[in-house]
Amino acid sequence: VQAVASGGGVVQAGGSLTLSCMLSGLPFDEYFMGWFRQVPGKERGGVQCISWIGSSTYYAESVKGRFTITKDSARYTLTLQMNNLKPEDTAMYYCAADQSGAYRNNPPRRQAYSYLEVRGQGTLVTVSE
């Protein structure tokens, strides 16, 4: 089982980026999945779920209206389209997935991230002023 995230980079405020995560070796449609982020130097703050696809789609308030998550079952890919990026969006972004029914209706909390079944290696997004 593998999750490979890509698409991070440096962008000016107001710009856009698209993150992709290819998940392989698992029954893609049987998993709930989403995107997380962690601010560099603030590891004690944990890894926050910013978008999650369970029985419905969840967005954190900080990204609602700017980010769009898409699950492509044909390509085994999870995508995060990020528009109108802000400096406070600067973070390491991770994709993750889990089959647990606990995440069908609710996204994982910060402290649960490390226990998710599948976790990608992260891709860095830097948004300059």
Side-chain angles (χ1 to χ4, degrees), residues 67-85:
F67 291 10
T68 302
I69 190 171
T70 305
K71 183 179 179 181
D72 187 340
S73 298
R75 294 182 172 83
Y76 304 103
T77 300
L78 185 70
T79 299
L80 187 69
Q81 175 66 43
M82 306 186 296
N83 298 326
N84 189 22
L85 283 161

Side-chain angles (χ1 to χ4, degrees), residues 35-83:
W35 288 93
F36 299 71
R37 70 185 182 188
Q38 184 173 45
V39 178
K42 296 186 178 180
E43 285 74 17
R44 291 184 67 181
V47 184
Q48 179 196 13
C49 181
I50 56 170
S51 188
W52 184 258
I53 297 179
S55 59
S56 60
T57 301
Y58 162 84
Y59 294 98
E61 285 298 322
S62 57
V63 307
K64 196 174 291 184
R66 299 187 298 122
F67 291 10
T68 302
I69 190 171
T70 305
K71 183 179 179 181
D72 187 340
S73 298
R75 294 182 172 83
Y76 304 103
T77 300
L78 185 70
T79 299
L80 187 69
Q81 175 66 43
M82 306 186 296
N83 298 326

Side-chain angles (χ1 to χ4, degrees), residues 13-27:
S16 299
L17 280 175
T18 302
L19 305 184
S20 294
C21 176
M22 179 167 288
L23 295 108
S24 58
L26 54 82

Side-chain angles (χ1 to χ4, degrees), residues 102-121:
Y103 304 123
R104 181 185 304 275
N105 297 315
N106 297 288
R109 297 181 178 183
R110 291 177 189 262
Q111 57 268 39
Y113 174 79
S114 296
Y115 301 98
L116 295 177
E117 186 176 342
V118 182
R119 290 171 282 125
Q121 84 286 7

